[in-house]
Amino acid sequence: MQRIILAFFGLLLIALALNCGGTSTTAVPGNDTPTEAYKRLFAAVKAKDIEAIKKQMSAKSIEFASMAAARNKTPIEKVFENGYTGTTFSPTLPELRDERIAGDEAGLEVWNSKDSRWEDLPFVKEDGVWKLAVGDLFAGTYKPEDVGHGRAFREAEAANAAGKGPVQAPGSNVPANFSLPPSAVANANVPQPPPAANKGK
């Protein structure tokens, strides 16, 4: 009888662990996708867990945050708090689409409800796990042309080619303002992405 009770409680604990709300902020190397990486980032931002947010950032993105914080005399927590993207202002997980992977680089379109537009977010794979690659984009080591433009960009180009424009194509793989704190955005010393990141393909 004691074994049955222990087995019952063991199963109950497993069921509770599986049903706990929220998205895990821990990736499983080898089974990861950019979509899952974004979901982890979104969950970490909503939990206001700066360490969990940093775990979703590439090494170069963490370096970029340190540089931006130092240049703007801003606490590094403020640089990380929105995960470099305005899409995290959404109260619920935003719509995700058009995941594109080329080797260890990827792009994923995420709906930015605050600005009513799609953001094409850059990701790189580090140690088998996808991470947001804003710093890689700024450093020029992430190549948007390898991944290709997102659907919103392609649709805008097609509309312009068909004479339905002019339709302004969104920037390629450049999150809106990178959601840096207002003092950082206003400061002209914030490094800008390399010219290739701003150009259409």
Side-chain angles (χ1 to χ4, degrees):
M1 184 69 172
Q2 187 176 14
R3 283 185 183 176
I4 294 172
I5 293 172
L6 287 175
F8 172 77
F9 281 113
L11 289 173
L12 183 62
L13 287 174
I14 291 170
L16 285 173
L18 291 175
N19 287 324
C20 280
T23 301
S24 172
T25 56
T26 305
V28 178
N31 294 327
D32 200 24
T33 67
T35 298
E36 291 305 312
Y38 179 82
K39 289 177 181 178
R40 289 191 305 272
L41 174 66
F42 186 82
V45 168
K46 291 304 173 191
K48 302 182 187 305
D49 186 340
I50 299 300
E51 288 307 309
I53 294 170
K54 287 168 67 175
K55 287 180 184 175
Q56 310 316 315
M57 301 286 168
S58 68
K60 288 193 183 308
S61 296
I62 292 172
E63 288 173 20
F64 173 75
S66 297
M67 182 180 64
R71 282 191 178 185
N72 297 293
K73 297 178 177 64
T74 304
I76 197 161
E77 294 78 14
K78 293 295 280 179
V79 177
F80 281 120
E81 71 182 350
N82 294 317
Y84 284 132
T85 168
T87 63
T88 59
F89 288 112
S90 173
T92 59
L93 184 69
E95 186 179 349
L96 311 172
R97 71 176 192 184
D98 199 26
E99 180 182 280
R100 303 163 327 275
I101 298 174
D104 288 342
E105 296 179 337
L108 175 69
E109 282 193 336
V110 182
W111 181 247
N112 181 330
S113 58
K114 181 180 177 209
D115 297 333
S116 296
R117 70 179 194 87
W118 290 98
E119 279 191 31
D120 196 9
L121 300 180
F123 290 85
V124 293
K125 190 183 278 188
E126 291 181 349
D127 300 321
V129 175
W130 289 102
K131 301 194 174 190
L132 189 66
V134 170
D136 304 73
L137 181 64
F138 271 77
T141 56
Y142 174 89
K143 307 290 185 198
E145 59 272 13
D146 292 346
V147 173
H149 291 296
R151 183 171 150 192
F153 187 94
R154 296 189 312 267
E155 288 172 350
E157 281 193 332
N160 289 333
K164 297 178 183 174
V167 177
Q168 185 176 3
S172 176
N173 302 91
V174 181
N177 295 332
F178 300 96
S179 292
L180 291 173
S183 61
V185 174
N187 188 329
N189 292 327
V190 173
Q192 297 301 308
N198 285 328
K199 291 181 186 172
K201 185 176 174 187

